[in-house]
Amino acid sequence: MNDKTQARKHYIGEMSAMNAHEKERQEQSMYAHLFNSAEWQSAKIIAVTKSQSIEVNTAPIIQQAIESNKKIVIPRTLPHRQMEFVLLDDDTKFKQKFGIDEPVNGQIYNQEQIDLIIVPGVSFASDHSRLGFGAGYYDRYLSKYGGNTVSLVLSAQIQGKITWPVDEFDVRIGHLIIAEGENNELE
C-alpha cells in the first residue's frame, strides 16, 4: 500500500466483509486467550474502547472485567488529538463522537494508574506494528504510557509484514492475540 489512507480503506473493507458467525467465533477464541493472559490476570484497571460494529466486540471484555472486580476505563477525546481515560460505572453518561460512545462525566485515571490498555486498530503486522484509524489519539497516548498493551486481532487484520508506511511516532503493541491458527499469540 502506498499510504496509510489507502491501507486503512483496504483493511476496513476486509473487516466489514467478515462473516458475522466467523467473526464471533474468532472473538470467542481471542477472549479466552486474553482472559488467561498474564497481562489480564495481573491488571486491576483496564482501558478499553466501546467498540464499533466492524471491530472486535468489547462488550464481553467489559463484562468479564466487571465480573472479575476489575475497573474499566473508557477513552474520551480532547482537543489537539489528545485523550484521557474515564472510569466506567453505573453513573457514566455517554455521547456519540466519531461514531463511538464517549463518556461525558466520571473520574479520570492517569497513565500511571492504568495496568493494561486494549488497543484498537485497523491492521497489525507480525512485528507488532499497528495501523490505527487515522487520528493518532492512541499513538500520542501510548508514547507516554509505560504499562502493558494488548490488541485483539481478527484474521482480516493480521499481516505477516507491514504493508503501510510506518512513521517515527507510530507505537508498537506489546502483545498481539490473533484469531487464527493453533498459536493465537504473536510474542
Side-chain angles (χ1 to χ4, degrees), residues 48-49 73-79 81-87 92-95 97-98 100-109 137-138 141:
V48 65
T49 62
V73 292
I74 305 289
R76 172 169 58 202
T77 57
L78 302 169
R81 296 190 181 201
Q82 301 296 311
M83 69 179 184
E84 62 190 5
F85 285 90
V86 178
L87 179 66
T92 306
K93 294 180 180 27
F94 291 92
K95 69 174 180 178
K97 192 169 181 183
F98 306 117
I100 300 170
D101 283 340
E102 280 196 1
V104 295
N105 64 323
Q107 179 182 349
I108 298 167
Y109 279 70
Y137 288 95
Y138 269 90
Y141 194 88

Side-chain angles (χ1 to χ4, degrees), residues 115-132:
D115 301 309
L116 171 63
I117 299 178
I118 300 173
V119 184
V122 174
S123 188
F124 301 85
S126 58
D127 72 347
H128 297 221
S129 293
R130 168 187 164 271
L131 178 65

Side-chain angles (χ1 to χ4, degrees), residues 29-134:
S29 170
M30 290 186 294
Y31 299 148
H33 283 274
L34 173 64
F35 300 150
N36 288 315
S37 71
E39 294 91 345
W40 178 272
Q41 293 292 323
S42 65
K44 292 179 179 33
I45 301 172
I46 299 171
V48 65
T49 62
K50 292 190 80 176
S51 56
Q52 300 177 70
S53 62
I54 63 168
E55 296 177 283
V56 171
N57 183 3
T58 59
I61 295 169
I62 293 167
Q63 185 60 41
Q64 181 65 37
I66 292 167
E67 290 173 9
S68 301
N69 294 314
K70 297 176 185 289
K71 291 182 180 177
I72 287 288
V73 292
I74 305 289
R76 172 169 58 202
T77 57
L78 302 169
H80 310 293
R81 296 190 181 201
Q82 301 296 311
M83 69 179 184
E84 62 190 5
F85 285 90
V86 178
L87 179 66
L88 176 65
D89 62 21
D90 292 338
D91 297 324
T92 306
K93 294 180 180 27
F94 291 92
K95 69 174 180 178
Q96 281 271 314
K97 192 169 181 183
F98 306 117
I100 300 170
D101 283 340
E102 280 196 1
V104 295
N105 64 323
Q107 179 182 349
I108 298 167
Y109 279 70
N110 65 41
Q111 293 171 333
E112 294 79 28
Q113 295 173 293
I114 299 171
D115 301 309
L116 171 63
I117 299 178
I118 300 173
V119 184
V122 174
S123 188
F124 301 85
S126 58
D127 72 347
H128 297 221
S129 293
R130 168 187 164 271
L131 178 65
F133 283 90

